[in-house]
Structure formats: C-alpha cells, structure tokens
Amino acid sequence: MKDNAYNDEIDPIGMAEDMQREATEESDDQPMDDAELQSIIASEIEDAVSYIDSDLSPFRAQATRYYRGDPFGNETEGSSHAISTEVRDTVNAMLPSIMRTMFSSERAVEFVPNGPEDVKVAEQATDYANYVLQSDNDGFLVMYSTFKDSLIRKCGVVKTWWDERTTVRIEEYTGLDEQTIMLIESEPDATVSVISQYDDPSITPEMLQPQVDPMTGQPMLDEMGQPIMPAMPQLFDATIKRTIKSGRIAVSAVPPEEFLLSRNARSLEDSSIVAHRKMATVAELIEMGYDEDEVMTYVTSTDFESNDEYLSRRAISTTIGSNSESNNPMMMRVLYIEAWVRVDYDNDGLPELRKLCCMGEGYEIVRNVPADMIPFADFPCDPEPHTSPLEATSVFDLTKDLQEIKSDILRNTLDSLAQSIHPRTAVVEGQVNMDDVLNNETGAIVRMRAPGMVQPLTTPFVGAEAFTMLGYMDQVKENRTGMSKAAMGLNADALQSSTKAAVAATVTASQMRLELITRILSNGMKLLFKNLLHLIVTHQEKERTVRLRNEWVTVDPRSWNSSMDVTTNVALGNGDTEQKMAMLNTISNIQKDALMQMGPSNPLVSPAQFSYTLRKMVELAGFKDSSQFFNAVPADYAPPEKPDKPTPEEILAQVQAQSIQADIQKKAAELELDREKMIRSDDRERDRQESDIMVKVQEMQLKYGAQVDMASIRAMMERDREAMRGMSAAQAQQQGPM
C-alpha cells in the first residue's frame, strides 16, 4: 500500500518525462533559424516563379497577342494576313456593362453592421471606403485594368497597402525678407539654403530714419556726433528643401506576371505563399526605409527578361534595357519580392502569417515581420471548381479557336476576291513582251507576235459561301460568351419584327452570361473592401475631414469594428433599365398608398423603405449621388405621434365652450361700446358747459372788469372729467365677468 501510494504521488518516470517535455518546450520557444527560414522562402518562391513563368505566362502572353490582333505566325507571302479580332471585340463589348454595373450604384459595396450600435458606423465606413478607393486612388482605372486582366488573362489582382513615403521637394524663392526666412527655418521639415543676399531696392537711404534713444526720444549719435542710421533692409534668394513624410492607403492593379501563387493553391487563403515581385528602383526602396548601400548590393538585371507575358505586353519596345544603360544610380532596378507565408516561426506548433521581403536573384530576406492580412483581392473571370483562381476560364479561352477559324475564313475570302479582281495571266513564252505583261497600267498595250499569246486565267469569286460560315461562328460565340448584338440592343434586323415579349426574352437571355461573370467579379470587390476597412482601422491614427455625400464630415476610424461583413449592392437582375424603372415606379406607388392609408407606423412599409426605393430610382436614372434628391431615412426612424382624435362629446363640449366664450366677448364689446358712448356724451356736455362758462367770464370781464381764475376752473372741470372716466372703467370691470 505504501509502495502504491509512493508511486502514485511521486512517479519518477513521469517526472523525467515532464522534465524532458519542459526542456523541449523551452527549446521550441526559440525563433526559427535564419538559414532554415531562408531555405523555406527560397524554395517556395522558386516553385511559384516556375508555376507562373513556365505554366501560366505562355498562355496569358498568347491571350495578349490575340487581344491585340497580332499575326499568328503562319502567314505566307502573297496571301492575305487579315486577323479577325474576336477576343478584343468580345472583351470590349463586355467591359462597358461590367464597369457601369460596378460603378453606377451609389454604394456598389456596403459594410454590414454586426449590431444596432454599428449602423451609423457601417454607413460612414461604406462612404469612406468608397472615398478612399475613388478619390484617394484612381479606383475606376484600377478596376478597369483589373477586370480587363480577368477577361483576357484569366484573373485580375488588386493590391492594397498602407503606403508610407518620404518625399523630397525643392522650391526656389526670390525676394524673401529676414522674418520670412526665420519663419521657414523654424519649420521642422524645411532646410533653407541662401543663394544670394542684397539690399531691398524699394527702399532708398533717404527713406531711413535715424535710430532713436527709447529713454530720451532723441536721435542716437555715434562717436563723431553723427546720427546712427539703421542698416539697409536685406532680401534673400533662397532654395528650400522640404522632406515630407506622408501615409495613405494605396490601391493598385498588379500585373499578372508579378503576382506569385502556389501551384497547389485553391484560393489566396490556403496558398503556401502569396507574393508580389517587381523590379523596384533604388529610389523606391530607399523611400520604403531601406539603406542605400544595402540596396545597391542587389542591383541586377531584370527578372522578366525570359517572361513571355511581360514581353508580349510591350508591343512597341521589344527589348528590355539593363541597369547598365542607366547613368542615374537612383533609377537602377532591384528584384524585390514581398511574400506572405504561413510558417511556424516561433516554434509553438502553430503556423502564423509573416511578411518576408526579399531582394536579389538569391531571394535574400531583408525584412521579416508578422502580418495580419494578405493585401490582395483576386478577380477570376470564370473560376474552375477546386483549382487555382489563376487558372480560371477567360474570354480568350472561349474565343481563341473562333478567332483562328474566322481569320482563316476571312483570309481565304479576301484571297478569292483578289484573284477574281486580279486574275493570273497565261502567256506563250517567247511570243509576248514580258515587260508589257507585267505593266499594270490601265489601258497599257501588250505586244504579241501572234494573236492569243496572252490569256487571263479567270477565277470565280467563291467568298459568298463563306459568309454563312462567318454567321455560324458568330452564333457559336454568342452561345459561349452571351455577347451579341441583341445583348447590346443593336440587332435591329433581328428584333424589329418580334413582339415586345420576344425582344425582352432575347435580350435577357443574352445578358445572363454577362451577369454571371459580373456577379463572380463582385465577390472580388467584397474582399477588396474588407482589406480597405482593415487598413483604415489599423493604420489611420488621426481624424480626417473629407467630403461625403456633399457634406464635410470628420472621420475617426480608430473606434470602428474591422470585422464587419461586406455585401455587394451592384445593380444586377433581369430586364433592362426601362423595365427596372417601371417596376420601381410601381413599387413606389404601392408604398406611397400604404403610407397614406395606413400611416407611417404601419407594419407593411416604413419611410426608410420608401426612401430607399426613391434613391434607387434616382441611381437607375443615371444620377450617382441620390442624396442630392432624397435623404436616406434611418431604419429606426420613428415619426412623431399624432394626438388622438376627440370624441363627439368632446367636440360638442368644445363647441359649447367656444360659443360661451364668444357670447362673453360680445357682451364685453357691447359694454365697452356703451362706456365709450357715455364718455363721449359726457365730454360733449362738459365741452358745452366750458364754452358757456368762457362766454360768461368774458362778459363779466368786459362789463365789470373783474379778473377770473380760468386755470382753476379748467382744472376743476378736468378733474371731474377724469373722475367720470374712472368711474365708468370701474363699472366696466365689475360688469365684465358677467
């Protein structure tokens, strides 16, 4: 029993195993060896470069050449070299619709709040992310390039990052005074270099006043007894060097050959490596914070000298200049790779995402930092299930053979037409002057030794039969891509005799394929905006005042939730603009009737939903900013409550009260009128008495010469008059309530 207890409590074997495990854990906490990490990243980059350059780039280079309409390479001398540009025509027909769909809406992409408290934040984040994409960056052209890469070269890629740069700006100024120079020198980012100093030409010595003693107010004198004159004001010509540090979110379309992805990846998230390689200039790398001496050691020739895709895109310049041709060291180029790799760098058994920056042909690691996101958004055209997004089906894949077939038919048709217009000529050797035969001048004479020595070999034109085949190829292209004249509303001959329903069905069927591709591309917009939101929240460290919806708004994203979901809000759906507008008009009428009949607090339609319908109608009409016409009503908007309607009894009581009040007011008016009449009658009587008294006083003065105090008489009469008015007012007050 003691032995068992001893073993249960102490267990030397278990203690040894625990000690060994702790020692192993302590050793595992040490970071991965630099040599091991260098080996891993070099192996991953080499495999990804091989996958891109050897497997994908040749196909994408061919797609570029087909889009541009380059010759196939099988042309023969003396025959037609015409090219049917099916790839370019189809892509150029699809792009306007895709761009209009993505950018015609006021909010093509919206952030979804996680709770009621995030509604306002989500709305402001949506507006600000769109502002960053389209105002801080040229979002339209970035997305145009991306969608074009997707349609032609299988997949487009957009990179987003926080771009911190230090730029140097040199400014030259003339005629600066001393105070201005001192003010500029006090700026922390400015360095002043004075070029020249000279007297101010606008001031003459006669304009200068002697210096005055502040104590006595008298001019100051020198040892010779002469007034001390101030120094002539100086002006400066100077060069000001400003070192400006700035940071902003940058968005850029990545050239397909610069984007590296593992060959076994099915998405960006499960790829063992996601990288961006480019030939960066020495100046660019110095702006990123690298040391100039370190960067110069990695200057090398371009990594794209053997890349077919890079070369095919350079239609004019077919040769690549080396660094030896540049006399400016700052413009020399270095192979620079930013790679995002999931490795167990801290040996804790869990792989974490790290950003590894490499330079040179040996992919030497020059920066190793942890990362919290992969700053890329992919836009595959038509992705194949369970494969890499870089291997999606493109428009080129669908129309490549059609371009070859139609080009061959077009060439043969043109050759047949040329032979029918300019037939070959048979001549009898030695019987014809060959110079005359080879002369193509109109009306030229051909000298023959005998008649019939020159005969044209008539070749009939057989190109008419080829037109049917060209039409069939167009039908095949329409079935594959969905792009036709009907889809663009241009096929008047095919639609003019059809019913309205048939026309709508034809147009809708033609647009379905394009809408599918647009929906797929909109998923890339969701990932792009999630990356933008993450960068805004994690890197913008201060408030910023921008103009959103025609109002200046202060944006402080430091308190935003970076985990908000994203939803697309592109204007997709069946029907053309006219049909959608008619349907929205019908919906708005129904909503308006419901609001009028059931009130703003009804359970069917809210004012926010009615506002949304009106704003969508404005957007569909082509006005991007619907806030200029209708405000967005919050979803939690509660209209003010109206007072309850009074009952009939309450209405009757109110009418009776109003009638009584009217009678009282009428009685008071009558009393006031009687009072006025009484006062006026009293005034007339007193005025008459005053006149009689004045006449009698005048008679007494004339008859007896007696002096009468008229002021006392008038005062007495006025006193009685005021007493009468006061009494009438008191009586009116006593009778008023009655």
Side-chain angles (χ1 to χ4, degrees), residues 554-618:
T554 300
V555 179
D556 188 2
R558 290 173 290 184
S559 61
W560 292 357
N561 185 359
S562 62
S563 63
M564 285 188 293
D565 198 5
V566 184
T567 180
T568 55
N569 192 29
V570 294
L572 295 175
N574 295 331
D576 57 8
T577 302
E578 183 179 355
Q579 292 174 335
K580 294 177 183 178
M581 183 65 77
M583 180 56 66
L584 286 175
N585 189 38
T586 302
I587 293 173
S588 66
N589 290 332
I590 296 174
Q591 291 175 332
K592 181 170 60 177
D593 293 340
L595 290 172
M596 294 180 63
Q597 296 177 8
M598 304 172 64
S601 301
N602 69 86
L604 181 61
V605 180
S606 66
Q609 292 173 320
F610 186 56
S611 172
Y612 182 81
T613 303
L614 296 178
R615 287 186 290 118
K616 283 301 175 185
M617 294 175 66
V618 172

Side-chain angles (χ1 to χ4, degrees), residues 212 228 403 495 556 568 627:
V212 178
I228 300 177
Q403 180 162 326
L495 300 179
D556 188 2
T568 55
S627 63

Side-chain angles (χ1 to χ4, degrees), residues 189-209:
D189 59 348
T191 303
V192 180
S193 300
V194 177
I195 300 176
S196 60
Q197 178 179 352
Y198 50 89
D199 295 339
D200 188 347
S202 63
I203 298 179
T204 61
E206 292 76 11
M207 299 171 62
L208 299 177
Q209 299 295 328

Side-chain angles (χ1 to χ4, degrees), residues 93 97 100 478 482-496 503-504 506-508 510-511 514 576-577:
S97 180
R100 182 185 62 184
E478 179 181 348
M483 294 309 300
S484 64
K485 291 183 179 180
M488 297 180 289
L490 302 177
N491 193 3
D493 295 335
L495 300 179
Q496 63 182 358
V503 171
T506 302
V507 174
T508 301
S510 300
Q511 291 176 342
L514 180 59
D576 57 8
T577 302

Side-chain angles (χ1 to χ4, degrees), residues 446-477:
V446 179
R447 290 169 288 183
M448 298 180 292
R449 296 183 183 276
M453 297 296 101
V454 178
Q455 295 182 356
L457 298 179
T458 303
T459 302
F461 174 63
V462 294
E465 288 77 4
F467 296 151
T468 303
M469 181 57 66
L470 292 175
Y472 172 74
M473 290 293 104
D474 290 336
Q475 184 64 39
V476 173
K477 182 185 73 173

Side-chain angles (χ1 to χ4, degrees), residues 301-455:
S301 59
T302 176
D303 188 58
F304 301 118
E305 288 181 346
S306 59
N307 187 280
D308 294 339
E309 188 174 2
Y310 178 78
L311 296 175
S312 65
R313 204 167 56 247
R314 300 168 63 90
I316 298 177
S317 176
T318 57
T319 59
I320 302 177
S322 62
N323 282 320
S324 60
E325 297 179 0
S326 177
N327 295 325
N328 185 357
M330 293 291 102
M331 292 296 104
M332 290 186 175
R333 297 186 177 274
V334 177
L335 176 60
Y336 181 69
I337 299 178
E338 293 179 340
W340 284 261
V341 185
R342 297 187 183 276
V343 294
D344 185 14
Y345 182 72
D346 53 5
N347 289 322
D348 61 353
L350 298 174
E352 62 268 6
L353 184 65
R354 300 193 71 84
K355 177 183 177 181
L356 306 178
C357 302
C358 307
M359 289 187 190
E361 297 178 350
Y363 313 129
E364 295 292 333
I365 299 176
V366 295
R367 183 176 294 177
N368 176 12
V369 294
D372 53 3
M373 62 170 287
I374 298 176
F376 297 99
D378 56 330
F379 294 80
C381 177
D382 185 7
E384 294 294 331
H386 320 300
T387 59
S388 170
L390 301 184
E391 298 181 18
T393 302
S394 64
V395 174
F396 163 74
D397 298 327
L398 300 175
T399 57
K400 170 189 173 183
D401 58 334
L402 300 181
Q403 180 162 326
E404 294 173 349
I405 294 172
K406 291 188 68 173
S407 297
D408 190 52
I409 296 174
L410 183 60
R411 289 176 179 182
N412 293 332
T413 301
L414 293 176
D415 288 342
S416 175
L417 179 62
Q419 291 180 7
S420 64
I421 296 176
H422 304 286
R424 301 182 66 183
T425 304
V427 299
V428 178
E429 188 175 359
Q431 301 298 315
V432 179
N433 188 311
M434 295 303 297
D435 292 336
D436 294 345
V437 175
L438 297 176
N439 183 12
N440 292 326
E441 183 180 352
T442 302
I445 298 175
V446 179
R447 290 169 288 183
M448 298 180 292
R449 296 183 183 276
M453 297 296 101
V454 178
Q455 295 182 356

